[in-house]
Amino acid sequence: MSYELLLAGILVVALVAYSVTAGADFGGGVWDLLAFGPRARAQREMIARAVAPIWEANHVWLIFVIVVLFVCFTPVYAVIGTALHIPLTLMLFGIVLRGAAFAFRSYHYGPKQFYWDAVFAISSLVTPVALGMCVGAVASGAIDADVDGTVRSDFFSSWLAPFPVSVGAFTLIEFSFLAACYLTLEAEHEALREDFRLRAIGSGILTAVLGWLAFALAYQGAPLIFAGIAGNVMLIAGISVVALSAVGALFARKYRLAQILAISQVSLVVLGWANAQFPYLVVPDLTVHNAHASDAVMEGALAVLAIGSVVLVPSFVYLYAVFKGWRQQG
Amino acid sequence: MSDLLAARSQMAMSLGFHILFAAVGIGMPLLMVIAEGLYLRTKDPVYLLLAKKWSKGTAVLFAIGAVSGTVLSFELGLLWPKFMAQYGSVIGMPFSMEGFAFFLEAIFLGIYMYGWKRVPAIVHLLSGVAVLFSGIFSGLFVICANGFMNTPAGFRIEDGKIVDIDPWAAMFNPAALAEGLHMTTAAFLSVAFLVAGIHAFMLLKDSKNPFHRAALGIALAVAAPMSVLQGATGHMAGETVGETQPVKLAAMEAHWETERWAPFRIGGWPDVERQETRYAIEIPGLMSFLSYGDPNAEVKGLKDFPKELHPPVPVVHVSFQIMIGAGVFMMAVAGMGVALGLWKRKLPDSPWFLKAVILASPMGMIAIEAGWVVTEVGRQPWIIQGVLKTADAVTPMPGLWAPFLAFSLLYLFLGATVVVLMINLVKHSPTFDENEA
């Protein structure tokens, strides 16, 4: 296998990792916004407790993706930075405000609490939508660029179109579904667990609706993706079965199973997208084959990735074992 | 405002904001680990309380550092896509390492902050050590990339194409080591003084408080050796600049004529029109000596370089003076602290000394900002010295004043909130009675 294919594979793995970890943290923010009823306070506190020790580490998966693009697929980084300047800036605002608000509000200083709750929740909403729109734009084929990093298309039309917007909405709801599934396992008493069970079922169904909508819009908005997914019956069947089973598991109150199925569903969506888009990194001009760095650079990067992973993977697993260990939950 | 100026301002503002929190992310773990180590050895609960209080403040500052650092990792592409498209892969090596270092930092910080009751005491302490070292390396790697911008290495340009990329040579470029060491010691020094100043302020009102006494002791013990190292690494950095970026050195010293026995200037205002520096106190030969180890060495003056390659001399010179002044002041205060401590055999706590520490408290952070202005503005008009002009690297995106304004307001707002929060945290620090109970 050539270096560039290996690195593209690593990119996909990191995107899956980001979605199933940091994605759920953003989803948590959505449920913070939608906290209501007699247990609203308890819901918010539980979300904060669940997210606090891990969100910063989860967030680094995004940096990881950026760094691999930056180093090994440099023109892709430059083209995305230019063509998607506006949605990326929006996403950064979301990231900064979400992180800052989360840190600030852990101080509980007086009446301003409500204000930081609002900032936290709204920025948690903006970030996944902007991220999804960027993904949609990259897949749509509307970014006209050269392998030297020059962008010829404008700064709006690629991402401000029905398909990218639908991907943004889908990303938001998908992350919320994931978060709700995770939160059923964090709940300390039955009533709270039931709250998130219902939220998970609701958002699970909405995820399916938005998923089909995005798929339909891809027919016009991202023909390559549409063809790739439509031609892959196994993928559609797989995602559907897993998604239905996840909702089924929630009905049956099999929370651990529902979590595993939700993770599988999100992973399959990312893998399916990557598979449909292959070998394009930015459709239609940049591919894995024409946008990669020289062998010396990729060799170095792979060496760093290999050595780094030896330290990173056990550390990341340990973090989860300490805070999300099987013993503490469900 | 031109788009280039807006892009430069946004980058400068983002860096200037982030670097404060990045320094805290490197410096605070050392103080926390020392406090926790002292607690494990002495079992004195004051140290445990200190480690916990410090970690509480650090959690907020680290979060701001993490997100503002994310902004920077995107801004390289958002603002300077031409720079990235051409040289991103050349300087990619340190960035990929930085990715891992930052990852480990975030993981172990999570364990440190929230794992007090979940992991064994020794694992907790070691998590702190892991945060410390991943923070140090995180900083070092990023600075390797900055060193590349100052002293590009590890590639050749053939017919306008970049060939023979050697990512290791690019990473270990001539400026990397000196810059990296200088910034690492700067982070420890500035954080130690910031912390020392806060606790000195509290001790002025409550001089017997064991919590603040312990804190001041640890902070001064870190500040003292670091203030000396800071001078040494600064000297090393100066020599490297002299060898590799003579224009920058000349601008730092506001030095116009090429001459032997070049003087070191204290103060002074460079007159760019007349190409001379007025009102400076000049120490003959000292600049030649500091830069090349020989007072008779020839130092190139700005007049020897084409005018269009001069950086904005007044900005660079004044910033350099501020950095040096702040550094010397901190060294003096730290020296007094050590002398007083050795003489009286106790924590130096006389009110006048505490006041001096309070005065020195912001100096480190001021020096860091000034030092980055020297490095970055001193390299202009280049984004990569001698290779790529800043003006040629900027994004074609129009209306860049808008994101600049938006990020400025955002950071202003966050900065103000952080200050209020920290004041709040200090106000609620433990009183003497609480410790007795």
Side-chain angles (χ1 to χ4, degrees):
Chain A
M1 190 192 253
S2 62
Y3 293 149
E4 59 268 25
L5 286 181
L6 193 56
L7 283 160
I10 291 169
L11 264 183
V12 175
V13 171
L15 275 171
V16 169
Y18 180 72
S19 304
V20 303
T21 58
D25 295 341
F26 285 108
V30 173
W31 298 124
D32 184 292
L33 184 68
L34 298 180
F36 70 93
R39 288 177 295 281
R41 188 74 258 158
Q43 289 169 4
R44 290 210 169 95
E45 278 168 11
M46 189 177 92
I47 293 164
R49 233 185 4 260
V51 169
I54 51 167
W55 74 268
E56 278 168 298
N58 294 343
H59 164 74
V60 187
W61 285 111
L62 180 66
I63 311 277
F64 189 96
V65 170
I66 284 301
V67 165
V68 173
L69 281 181
F70 178 127
V71 180
C72 302
F73 302 102
T74 319
V76 176
Y77 177 75
V79 165
I80 291 176
T82 307
L84 302 176
H85 190 115
I86 297 163
L88 284 176
T89 301
L90 271 177
M91 189 177 97
L92 285 176
F93 258 73
I95 287 173
V96 170
L97 281 172
R98 195 275 304 244
F102 190 81
F104 291 159
R105 72 179 199 156
S106 63
Y107 277 79
H108 297 286
Y109 68 122
K112 292 191 189 95
Q113 175 72 25
F114 168 76
Y115 172 73
W116 286 118
D117 277 347
V119 174
F120 170 69
I122 292 167
S123 51
S124 296
L125 216 110
V126 169
T127 311
V129 172
L131 176 71
M133 286 167 90
C134 290
V135 168
V138 164
S140 69
I143 299 176
D144 182 9
D146 268 342
V147 278
D148 70 354
T150 311
V151 175
R152 279 181 300 267
S153 46
D154 67 88
F155 298 101
F156 289 94
S157 59
S158 66
W159 56 276
L160 213 53
F163 174 68
V165 172
S166 73
V167 176
F170 171 75
T171 310
L172 178 70
I173 303 304
E174 176 82 298
F175 285 174
S176 308
F177 166 62
L178 195 59
C181 288
Y182 289 4
L183 287 165
T184 58
L185 288 165
E186 300 267 349
E188 273 151 8
H189 55 86
E190 211 43 51
L192 210 50
R193 195 186 303 267
E194 202 61 20
D195 285 348
F196 284 102
R197 173 173 167 261
L198 294 175
R199 281 163 173 74
I201 292 172
S203 54
I205 293 167
L206 195 55
T207 305
V209 174
L210 285 167
W212 283 105
L213 176 71
F215 180 56
L217 287 170
Y219 181 71
Q220 287 258 315
L224 183 86
I225 301 297
F226 184 85
I229 292 176
N232 195 340
V233 182
M234 288 300 289
L235 178 76
I236 298 178
I239 293 178
S240 307
V241 168
V242 171
L244 281 174
S245 322
V247 175
L250 287 164
F251 268 111
R253 298 195 168 76
K254 304 269 187 223
Y255 297 113
R256 180 61 69 183
L257 181 66
Q259 183 198 33
I260 293 168
L261 289 166
I263 292 174
S264 317
Q265 191 239 335
V266 173
S267 310
L268 279 175
V269 168
V270 178
L271 292 172
W273 159 54
N275 184 56
Q277 195 178 302
F278 184 82
Y280 295 96
L281 290 167
V282 180
V283 189
D285 298 308
L286 303 185
T287 68
V288 173
H289 308 297
N290 72 9
H292 64 79
S294 72
D295 275 0
V297 171
M298 290 194 292
E299 257 167 35
L302 282 168
V304 171
L305 286 170
I307 296 167
S309 304
V310 172
V311 189
L312 173 69
V313 172
S315 306
F316 199 77
V317 170
Y318 182 65
L319 177 75
Y320 270 73
V322 169
F323 295 104
K324 309 280 158 191
W326 295 80
R327 250 182 323 141
Q328 276 123 15
Q329 296 178 345
Chain B
M1 181 176 239
S2 74
D3 281 326
L4 175 63
L5 184 62
R8 284 183 57 194
S9 307
Q10 184 178 333
M11 199 68 196
M13 194 266 308
S14 306
L15 271 170
F17 184 79
H18 173 70
I19 192 68
L20 299 174
F21 298 92
V24 168
I26 295 172
M28 279 314 290
L30 178 64
L31 299 182
M32 298 183 318
V33 163
I34 293 175
E36 194 180 352
L38 284 171
Y39 166 68
L40 290 179
R41 237 185 59 183
T42 64
K43 296 290 166 204
D44 183 343
V46 162
Y47 290 122
L48 181 64
L49 195 61
L50 190 55
K52 286 194 171 173
K53 282 279 174 186
W54 274 345
S55 77
K56 200 163 183 218
T58 306
V60 172
L61 300 173
F62 187 90
I64 307 290
V67 293
S68 58
T70 305
V71 170
L72 282 171
S73 71
F74 277 86
E75 272 177 347
L76 286 172
L78 291 173
L79 299 174
W80 316 107
K82 304 267 165 59
F83 168 30
M84 286 301 110
Q86 294 175 47
Y87 293 94
S89 59
V90 187
I91 54 162
M93 189 59 73
F95 274 109
S96 31
M97 294 186 186
E98 198 273 342
F100 280 102
F102 180 35
F103 226 139
L104 293 174
E105 203 179 349
I107 288 171
F108 286 104
L109 195 84
I111 295 173
Y112 193 87
M113 296 298 165
Y114 297 93
W116 287 98
K117 291 188 185 133
R118 285 180 183 256
V119 298
I122 186 72
V123 173
H124 191 266
L125 181 71
L126 288 176
S127 301
V129 174
V131 176
L132 171 63
F133 279 96
S134 44
I136 292 174
F137 279 103
S138 198
L140 284 175
F141 293 144
V142 169
I143 287 165
C144 284
N146 181 262
F148 173 86
M149 294 162 72
N150 287 320
T151 57
F155 66 95
R156 280 190 314 113
I157 298 178
E158 215 175 80
D159 304 328
K161 288 211 168 222
I162 300 156
V163 292
D164 285 349
I165 297 175
D166 177 352
W168 300 101
M171 177 171 173
F172 296 108
N173 57 77
L177 183 66
E179 257 194 64
L181 291 178
H182 193 48
M183 181 60 220
T184 307
T185 49
F188 288 124
L189 177 63
S190 53
V191 170
F193 259 109
L194 200 61
V195 168
I198 291 168
H199 293 284
F201 179 76
M202 298 308 279
L203 280 175
L204 269 185
K205 293 186 287 188
D206 185 8
S207 66
K208 295 277 185 290
N209 188 320
F211 175 80
H212 293 303
R213 292 183 72 89
L216 182 66
I218 294 173
L220 285 179
V222 171
M226 287 302 161
S227 69
V228 178
L229 278 177
Q230 192 58 19
T233 55
H235 175 62
M236 198 174 148
E239 280 185 332
T240 312
V241 172
E243 282 163 30
T244 56
Q245 294 177 289
V247 200
K248 186 190 272 184
L249 183 74
M252 282 156 68
E253 297 282 1
H255 184 67
W256 298 95
E257 307 287 342
T258 297
E259 60 187 348
R260 295 181 186 281
W261 282 89
F264 184 87
R265 292 182 181 78
I266 299 171
W269 180 257
D271 184 333
V272 179
E273 286 294 307
R274 294 185 176 191
Q275 303 213 327
E276 61 185 33
T277 300
R278 274 174 289 170
Y279 319 119
I281 302 166
E282 301 194 346
I283 305 169
L286 187 59
M287 180 184 170
S288 294
F289 178 72
L290 284 176
S291 308
Y292 303 105
D294 171 10
N296 194 30
E298 186 181 87
V299 177
K300 285 225 171 198
L302 284 160
K303 283 184 183 172
D304 265 18
F305 302 95
K307 246 188 170 175
E308 65 273 15
L309 295 185
H310 288 189
V313 181
V315 177
V316 179
H317 178 65
V318 170
S319 304
F320 181 60
Q321 296 282 322
I322 291 173
M323 178 181 78
I324 299 271
V328 169
F329 186 75
M330 285 186 286
M331 210 190 284
V333 173
M336 277 192 300
V338 171
L340 275 175
L342 290 178
W343 178 35
K344 299 209 169 147
R345 301 240 146 255
K346 70 175 181 96
L347 183 77
D349 61 353
S350 7
W352 68 267
F353 176 72
L354 294 180
K355 282 176 190 157
V357 172
I358 296 168
L359 205 59
S361 184
M363 293 290 177
M365 291 300 180
I366 291 171
I368 286 180
E369 296 289 0
W372 278 106
V373 170
V374 171
T375 320
E376 294 301 289
V377 178
R379 194 185 53 242
Q380 300 307 320
W382 303 101
I383 193 165
I384 305 175
Q385 180 78 41
V387 174
L388 183 67
K389 293 250 177 76
T390 312
D392 297 329
V394 74
T395 177
M397 169 96 190
L400 288 180
W401 60 270
F404 169 50
L405 185 71
F407 273 106
S408 302
L409 291 175
L410 174 67
Y411 282 174
L412 200 67
F413 167 66
L414 290 187
T417 310
V418 166
V419 169
V420 172
L421 242 155
M422 288 300 132
I423 291 174
N424 224 300
L425 186 68
V426 173
K427 269 194 196 154
H428 290 97
S429 58
T431 60
F432 189 41
D433 295 339
E434 259 178 60
N435 286 305
E436 289 296 279

